[in-house]
């Protein structure tokens, strides 16, 4: 082997490896590049040592490889120290990038639900197909309201929280299938529309809104965000742009895993409202005010804090990290 020629041929690659290894923070794309550089550098170091033994060039490459290896296998800092960055930068940035898709999902859901409600209330045959008059009377006068208080508040909160969090996680996890998210959105809109139609048909439209709004404003918004995340993953597969499909899916999936984690906390708040506020014997302006305040706080977090995080260069990608933290990369 001509050591000088070999070193000259790979000098740019080794310099890039050393540069990435010294950086304090890496983006998702840079993290993937670092792994690729590390793998090729390890092969080249092996070739150097096999042909020329210990050399100055080999020693320099070995130092670069060691620094790179510490980026993703080194001892990590306390995970707790990374929590503020997750909630202040990563999560709001990831949510902000979904704002327009979230709005689109919300508009479609409301439109479909309204169409179902208007059609059923104006069509006695459609209303009769839902159930017998006695069954619908029972739903309107008993079941709809009793649903929120038939179980202890704490257990009911846990039930709706886990159920909604599971639905949100499914939207993001199965979004790549393309059909799953539209199915969930349309099914949810259909259920809301049918329930609203029955309540309005029997003169209980006010009861419908009074029991849906306190928790539903935040809960439905969180589901809209999850659906938007699933659609974003599907679109990354359909139209990756300049990226390869694998790269687009990896980058968007990492960012949207941030959203999935964040929505667990959002849905916990909506679950607490549904379990403790919605059935409480408080004035309705108070209960709806609590729900509205929760929604406004979430929207401010998503849009205001999220915009600031994005302008600061945050992507919401979990592959980004600070030096000293535990690194996990996706190929």
């Amino acid at each position: 082997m001509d050591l000088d020629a070999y070193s000259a041929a790979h000098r740019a690659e080794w310099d890039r490896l050393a540069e990435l290894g010294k950086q304090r923070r890496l983006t998702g794309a840079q993290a993937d590049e670092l792994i690729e550089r590390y793998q090729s550098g390890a092969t080249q170091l092996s070739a150097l040592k096999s042909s020329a033994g210990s050399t100055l060039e080999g020693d320099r490459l070995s130092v670069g490889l060691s620094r790179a290896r510490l980026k993703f296998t080194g001892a990590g800092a306390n995970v707790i120290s990374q929590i503020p960055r997750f909630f202040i930068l990563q999560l709001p940035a990831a949510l902000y990038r979904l704002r327009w898709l979230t709005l689109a999902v919300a508009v479609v859901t409301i439109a479909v639900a309204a169409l179902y409600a208007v059609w059923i209330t104006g069509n006695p045959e459609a209303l009769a197909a839902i159930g017998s008059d006695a069954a619908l009377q029972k739903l309107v006068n008993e079941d709809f309201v009793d649903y929120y208080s038939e179980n202890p508040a704490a257990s009911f909160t846990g039930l709706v929280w886990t159920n909604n969090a599971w639905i949100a996680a499914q939207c993001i996890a199965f979004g790549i299938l393309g059909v799953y998210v539209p199915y969930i959105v349309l099914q949810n809109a259909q259920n809301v529309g049918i329930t609203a139609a029955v309540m309005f048909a029997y003169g209980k439209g006010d009861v419908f809104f009074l029991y849906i709004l306190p928790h539903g404003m935040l809960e439905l918004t969180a589901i809209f965000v999850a659906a938007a995340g699933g659609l974003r993953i599907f679109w990354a597969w359909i139209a990756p742009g300049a990226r390869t499909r694998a790269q687009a899916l990896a980058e968007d999936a990492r960012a949207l895993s941030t959203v999935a984690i964040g929505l667990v906390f959002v849905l916990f708040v909506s679950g607490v409202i549904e379990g403790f506020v919605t059935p409480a014997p408080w004035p309705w302006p108070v209960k709806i005010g609590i729900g509205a305040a929760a929604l406004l706080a979430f929207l401010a977090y998503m849009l205001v804090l999220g915009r600031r995080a994005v302008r600061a260069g945050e992507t919401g990608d979990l592959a980004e990290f600070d030096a000293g933290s535990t690194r996990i990369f996706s190929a």
Side-chain angles (χ1 to χ4, degrees), residues 63-208:
V63 170
L65 288 171
S66 297
R67 285 177 176 169
R69 185 167 57 249
L70 286 174
K71 286 288 185 183
F72 52 89
T73 63
N78 190 341
V79 175
I80 295 178
S81 67
Q82 302 300 311
I83 293 177
R85 180 171 182 268
F86 174 82
F87 285 105
I88 296 174
L89 294 174
Q90 286 182 317
L91 178 56
L95 291 171
Y96 182 76
R97 293 180 184 279
L98 294 175
R99 62 195 184 284
W100 296 119
L101 265 179
T102 299
L103 178 61
V105 172
V107 170
V108 169
T109 300
I110 294 172
V112 172
L115 287 173
Y116 265 101
V118 171
W119 173 61
I120 293 174
T121 53
N123 190 333
E125 294 180 356
L127 183 64
I130 297 174
S132 65
D133 182 68
L136 296 181
Q137 288 275 8
K138 186 174 184 297
L139 170 65
V140 170
N141 297 318
E142 300 177 20
D143 295 347
F144 182 78
V145 174
D146 291 346
Y147 167 76
Y148 297 99
S149 57
E150 62 186 1
N151 292 306
S155 61
F156 182 62
T157 295
L159 177 65
V160 296
W161 175 36
T162 53
N163 178 67
N164 291 330
W166 174 238
I167 292 174
Q170 285 180 309
C171 283
I172 294 176
F174 300 137
I176 192 175
L177 299 178
V179 298
Y180 187 81
V181 171
Y183 168 75
I184 291 295
V185 170
L186 294 177
Q187 183 185 57
N188 189 49
Q190 180 186 48
N191 291 337
V192 172
I194 290 175
T195 303
V198 173
M199 298 296 289
F200 273 91
Y202 284 85
K204 296 286 187 177
D206 58 334
V207 175
F208 171 78

Side-chain angles (χ1 to χ4, degrees), residues 18 24 29-30 51 92 104 152 184 237 258 274 283 288 303 318:
R24 177 176 175 79
Q30 289 173 330
S51 300
I184 291 295
W237 179 63
T258 305
E274 187 170 0
I288 294 177
L303 301 177
L318 284 180

Side-chain angles (χ1 to χ4, degrees), residues 26-28 85 89-90 93-95 97 232 251 255-256 258 309-310 312-320:
L26 299 178
T27 64
R85 180 171 182 268
L89 294 174
Q90 286 182 317
L95 291 171
R97 293 180 184 279
R232 175 72 175 269
E251 291 175 356
L256 293 170
T258 305
V310 169
E314 183 63 52
T315 66
D317 192 334
L318 284 180
E320 292 187 0

